[in-house]
Amino acid sequence: MSAFNYRSYWESHYASGGTSGAGSYGLPAEFKASTINAFLAERDVETVIEFGCGDGNQLGYMNYKRYLGFDISEEALRRCRERFGGDPSKTFHSYDPRTFVNGGAYKADLVVCLDVLYHITDEDDFRKTLDDVFGCAEKYVILYTTWKKAPSNNVTIIHRDLLDYLRAYPDFVLERIVPQPHGHLSVADFLILARSAPTSS
């Protein structure tokens, strides 16, 4: 779909001193935190896995009890380990959709993926990342992303029809969409999904 190498881009971006972007700071970060922290309290979530932990600034807002953060950038992971090195409730691991195999080793009550999916410009990596997100989720998935197909003039972004992709995960039901209140700062919304209860035979 795109000749742009998003993985090299983000590693270079962080290595040159870049951050996770405006979405992880200020009002967007506060909105994400208030929405997710309320969900954590409401559902009594104990464990969380995040795909795309970035520089860790957003994580500083979150009330996660036990947390594992994945990222494709080794520099981003280094920053997170440095920042949260004194917190044993948080761990960080490298993630590559082309080599990641779960095998049941990575499971959490909730899996989150925030401001990440529309930056995955490789179609195969995008689909594999979604597979891994849902494969790690025991109960819930929270996506914060764009979800309607639209043109983009930014080489680092692809807006897809996400609801079409989500049909591949019939065990999860879209509970609600929480719209973006700061449209001048971000076009991403929350999609909150829950694993449906098994039907009795």
Side-chain angles (χ1 to χ4, degrees), residues 71-88:
D71 206 275
I72 59 170
S73 167
E74 292 300 326
E75 172 58 22
L77 292 168
R78 185 196 65 76
R79 292 193 204 176
C80 288
R81 290 171 182 139
E82 182 177 279
R83 177 170 180 171
F84 299 102
D87 184 349

Side-chain angles (χ1 to χ4, degrees), residues 24-150:
S24 296
Y25 291 78
L27 286 175
E30 292 168 9
F31 166 58
K32 284 189 275 186
S34 64
T35 302
I36 290 178
N37 288 336
F39 184 87
L40 297 173
E42 173 191 338
R43 305 297 174 94
D44 195 25
V45 171
E46 294 289 330
T47 55
V48 176
I49 291 174
E50 179 169 20
F51 281 80
C53 58
D55 63 13
N57 194 72
Q58 182 70 69
L59 178 58
Y61 289 80
M62 302 303 195
N63 298 331
Y64 298 141
K65 294 180 181 179
R66 281 194 293 139
Y67 170 91
L68 167 60
F70 286 118
D71 206 275
I72 59 170
S73 167
E74 292 300 326
E75 172 58 22
L77 292 168
R78 185 196 65 76
R79 292 193 204 176
C80 288
R81 290 171 182 139
E82 182 177 279
R83 177 170 180 171
F84 299 102
D87 184 349
S89 72
K90 296 178 176 62
T91 57
F92 303 91
H93 291 315
S94 179
Y95 174 73
D96 184 338
R98 301 179 186 187
T99 59
F100 181 83
V101 177
N102 190 343
Y106 301 106
K107 291 288 184 181
D109 294 338
L110 167 66
V111 175
V112 300
C113 189
L114 313 176
D115 275 323
V116 169
L117 292 175
Y118 56 87
H119 284 299
I120 304 177
T121 55
D122 181 275
E123 182 67 12
D124 290 338
D125 285 7
F126 175 82
R127 290 179 180 271
K128 178 57 163 53
T129 301
L130 273 182
D131 285 347
D132 293 335
V133 164
F134 282 90
C136 289
E138 297 272 39
K139 298 178 181 178
Y140 310 108
V141 169
I142 294 182
L143 308 174
Y144 181 80
T145 186
T146 61
W147 53 280
K148 296 178 181 179
K149 189 172 183 178

Side-chain angles (χ1 to χ4, degrees), residues 137-175:
E138 297 272 39
K139 298 178 181 178
Y140 310 108
V141 169
I142 294 182
L143 308 174
Y144 181 80
T145 186
T146 61
W147 53 280
K148 296 178 181 179
K149 189 172 183 178
S152 172
N153 58 8
N154 187 333
V155 70
T156 72
I157 289 175
I158 293 179
H159 300 297
R160 298 172 174 90
D161 180 0
L162 187 59
L163 296 185
D164 186 51
Y165 288 87
L166 294 182
R167 293 191 181 96
Y169 312 99
D171 290 346
F172 285 84
V173 175
L174 180 61
E175 284 196 342

